[in-house]
Amino acid sequence: MRAEERQHRLLVLARHEGRVEVATAATDFGVAPETIRRDLSELERRGLVRRTHGAAYPVESAGFETNLAQRVTLHVENKRRIAAEAVKLIGEAETVFVDEGYTPQILAALLPSDRPLTVVTASLSTAAAIADSPNTTVLLLGGRVRARTLATVGSWACAMLSGFVIDLAFLGANGISRELGLTTPDPVVADVKAKALQVSRRRIFLGDHSKFGAISFCRFAEVSDFEAIVTDNGLSGAEAHRYALLGPQVIRV
């Protein structure tokens, strides 16, 4: 098998399974682990995967995006810790924007229920999960529902957001880079995120370590737009410091 074909199959595998293990792939393809590492290094150079110790994860792009069903199976324990830490930063906020995605959905369920709180979200899953909280008012943005993420997008969603002044926004991204900021594959998703960022007084980014250094298609924010970044210890202390130099507090859990 030629290297190009093997790399293509590795990319397909990573996108289907959510990750590819070096040892497993070497056995399956009948090659040395070093060969798989070289293949993954080439895919990483082309911006298609992110390598970690012994494995690689696919990078979401204009042509590839994970769906909600995949997201609820990847880095789940990290996402729970991130959400639990991020919710501590709510302070005295009375109005909160909660982004689409699984980590924000976990966070939404942890929001304080002992005081009045208004939650604005584009996520049907998040709205459904917290709608029965007695002290929480849930405002679901209108628009077209993306089947992949069960979130609303489009001009209606942005128009609704433009009429609000929100105390705090919890935002995610498909990729975050010191050089290119926060990115997502779909322009209409980027529009909603950018508008939420614009109308919010405070902004907090939450995302696991696999998002860092990844670059997707549509940029909607700069790292310096955020007061805090909450992630897991998979992001090295040195790299966390580099992000902190751009302005936000970086919290690793």
Side-chain angles (χ1 to χ4, degrees), residues 46-230:
R46 289 156 51 191
L48 297 171
V49 303
R50 291 292 316 284
R51 292 186 63 199
T52 61
H53 181 69
Y57 298 89
V59 171
E60 296 179 286
S61 64
F64 166 72
E65 183 182 4
T66 56
N67 58 36
L68 193 58
Q70 291 172 307
R71 294 177 189 183
V72 301
T73 64
L74 298 173
H75 311 295
V76 174
E77 290 305 317
N78 288 341
K79 291 175 179 178
R80 287 175 177 160
R81 292 199 310 274
I82 291 166
E85 189 66 26
V87 80
K88 296 177 184 178
L89 303 176
I90 189 170
E92 300 304 314
E94 297 177 352
T95 55
V96 177
F97 175 81
V98 179
D99 205 356
E100 65 171 71
Y102 187 52
T103 308
Q105 182 179 326
I106 298 172
L107 176 141
L110 300 174
L111 289 169
S113 58
D114 59 349
R115 71 187 210 216
L117 190 68
T118 297
V119 176
V120 181
T121 186
S123 168
L124 275 68
S125 301
T126 294
I130 63 174
D132 62 349
S133 179
N135 286 321
T136 302
T137 300
V138 180
L139 301 181
L140 179 63
L141 300 178
R144 175 175 63 86
V145 178
R146 298 179 77 231
R148 181 168 292 277
T149 59
L150 294 181
T152 55
V153 293
S155 59
W156 289 350
C158 291
M160 283 187 69
L161 279 169
S162 67
F164 299 143
V165 178
I166 296 173
D167 293 331
L168 172 61
F170 290 106
L171 288 158
N174 299 77
I176 176 171
S177 159
R178 287 184 284 114
E179 296 80 10
L180 296 176
L182 283 75
T183 53
T184 193
D186 195 320
V188 292
V189 175
D191 287 344
V192 174
K193 290 175 182 286
K195 180 59 69 173
L197 186 101
Q198 178 185 341
V199 303
S200 299
R201 303 174 190 268
R202 300 171 53 209
R203 303 90 168 231
I204 293 170
F205 171 77
L206 54 160
D208 67 75
H209 69 276
S210 68
K211 307 290 187 181
F212 288 78
I215 300 167
S216 193
F217 180 48
C218 301
R219 178 165 54 185
F220 66 89
E222 301 294 340
V223 174
S224 58
D225 290 329
F226 293 82
E227 71 171 57
I229 289 172
V230 186

Side-chain angles (χ1 to χ4, degrees), residues 20-36:
V20 57
E21 301 279 353
V22 171
T24 302
T27 300
D28 291 345
F29 286 93
V31 297
E34 290 75 13
T35 301
I36 298 297

